[in-house]
Amino acid sequence: MKVPFVDLITQYRSLENQILPAMQNILEKAQFILGEDVELFEKEFAAFCETEFAVGVDSGTSAIELALRTLGIGEGDEVITTANTFIATALAISYAGARPVLVDADPQTYTIDVSKLEEAITPRTKAIIPVHLYGQPADMDPIMEIAQRRGLKVIEDACQAHGARYKGRRAGSLGHAAAFSFYPAKNLGAYGDGGIIVTGDEQVARSARMLRNYGQREKYKHLMCGFNRRLDTLQAAVLRVKLGYLDDWNNARRRHAGRYKRLLDSTPLALPLEADYAESVYHLYVVRADNREALMDSLQEQGISTGIHYPIPVHLQPAYQDLGYQSGDFPVSERYAKCILSLPMYPELDRDAIVHVANAIKNFVNGFVVEATISEDVFVGQVP
Ligand SMILES: *Cc1c(COP(=O)(O)O)cnc(C)c1O
């Protein structure tokens, strides 16, 4: 039995009879740039996030960068995020002209360690970008409290968390602004690149609309040096169809996570922990295992593809050597980068596939514990 890491084809087949007419409608109107479908999708996505405004852009990275710019953040400013994230979070800060300042990950949730946040704040700090990593919201209440007290803006990197909830509230409605990505493999994915800025702040929304469209509000009157970063209209048409299924897909991911948990609880793997404040949408199902490489190889031999998200923390990336961080600065992120493994996770995954993955892991573990040791810190629930 083969289990791919993600499967975008099965979903397309199931929606083909709605996707194709939606795209055809755009082609027949020849309305390729902005227009009705982008506007309607923005309204629908803002409503989905239980907030007021949404501005479609060309990627999640652009959404973060433009959100920073709308808040007046740039040259000479520092923006705090976590070492344990996809590089795009940090790159967007750099694109805006600001400097990324990193904080380690919480060992239980993998999201930003709130207890280490204040010590990273300097007089130059202007904003915090918590990342709702793997689909689980960061602990937003204490983050917002610190931000309020220190006069900082908060932009949620919700690129992996469409539909997730924090204390009942949707990701995207928790900070001053939020960024989502519609990269094809995200929980809500386009058929190409796309992203969106979501906010309750009308000023931010207005400014984002100008920034994505050459700095103009009226045609050919340019109030600022904006960009061409619009959400593609064909993608908006696709996303409007898919948004109607997002809650169902997220529920399916949560069921799969529950099944993985039941089947893998008895193994030495450390399983994802859902914080009591969180309803994760399991963009990724990330476990920790010693001898991760051997486990990965063994699963591949048994027909199962896995991934690593992410193998190198931001501060150890060659691209970011100039930030001046060193190995050892963020011990949780560094240790986890060596033992995390993402198991197959997508809504269309079926029961048999999950059982196959769990059995393959058990085969490996049983053949493996005899001759190798599994260190304490990867056990379920253990805090390093
Ligand atoms: C995907 C992702 C991004 C970037 O989104 P793109 O649409 O690929 O630009 C940013 N942050 C995180 C956490 C992501 O997973």
Side-chain angles (χ1 to χ4, degrees), residues 58-64 84-90 92 131-134 157-161 179-184 186 192-195 283-284 310:
D58 60 350
S59 73
T61 309
S62 282
I64 303 170
N84 185 39
T85 183
F86 180 51
I87 190 81
T89 318
V131 182
H132 303 327
L133 201 69
Y134 310 149
D157 180 342
C159 288
Q160 302 189 356
F180 290 85
S181 163
F182 302 124
Y183 176 80
K186 302 285 162 116
D193 278 307
H283 172 60
L284 295 168
Y310 296 90

Side-chain angles (χ1 to χ4, degrees), residues 54-70:
V55 181
V57 294
D58 60 350
S59 73
T61 309
S62 282
I64 303 170
E65 180 201 335
L66 297 190
L68 285 164
R69 289 179 181 274
T70 62

Side-chain angles (χ1 to χ4, degrees), residues 2-172:
K2 286 233 176 299
V3 186
F5 180 62
V6 288
D7 172 7
L8 302 179
I9 313 264
T10 306
Q11 185 180 90
Y12 170 65
R13 290 286 173 228
S14 75
L15 295 178
E16 201 172 11
N17 63 356
Q18 292 168 74
I19 297 276
L20 292 180
M23 293 182 89
Q24 195 174 6
N25 177 45
I26 303 292
L27 299 178
E28 284 171 358
K29 285 195 294 191
Q31 170 64 274
F32 300 115
I33 304 297
L34 298 178
E36 192 187 13
D37 278 78
V38 171
E39 272 172 41
L40 288 171
F41 175 66
E42 288 172 342
K43 288 206 170 73
E44 290 156 4
F45 194 74
F48 177 84
C49 293
E50 298 169 2
T51 184
E52 228 169 323
F53 307 101
V55 181
V57 294
D58 60 350
S59 73
T61 309
S62 282
I64 303 170
E65 180 201 335
L66 297 190
L68 285 164
R69 289 179 181 274
T70 62
L71 294 166
I73 294 158
E75 214 65 51
D77 297 333
E78 292 178 356
V79 177
I80 296 174
T81 189
T82 162
N84 185 39
T85 183
F86 180 51
I87 190 81
T89 318
L91 289 177
I93 297 169
S94 303
Y95 297 160
R99 178 187 177 85
V101 171
L102 304 174
V103 169
D104 208 354
D106 176 279
Q108 299 281 3
T109 63
Y110 301 86
T111 56
I112 193 165
D113 186 339
V114 177
S115 71
K116 303 205 174 98
L117 187 53
E118 287 217 73
E119 62 201 51
I121 297 174
T122 76
R124 290 172 181 268
T125 308
K126 291 283 156 56
I128 305 166
I129 307 186
V131 182
H132 303 327
L133 201 69
Y134 310 149
Q136 166 151 264
D139 192 1
M140 289 299 290
D141 277 353
I143 294 171
M144 293 308 289
E145 187 278 317
I146 292 168
Q148 208 96 35
R149 186 155 43 74
R150 309 289 295 254
L152 308 175
K153 297 294 184 187
V154 176
I155 298 166
E156 301 167 67
D157 180 342
C159 288
Q160 302 189 356
H162 320 63
R165 289 187 186 274
Y166 175 82
K167 299 185 181 173
R169 290 141 64 207
R170 289 276 198 194

Side-chain angles (χ1 to χ4, degrees), residues 328-357:
D329 282 350
F330 304 111
V332 174
S333 302
E334 290 171 33
R335 250 145 48 76
Y336 282 8
K338 297 194 178 82
C339 63
I340 46 177
L341 183 69
S342 309
L343 302 183
M345 175 55 86
Y346 44 91
E348 298 76 15
L349 198 60
D350 63 24
R351 188 184 164 281
D352 290 351
I354 296 172
V355 170
H356 179 61
V357 173

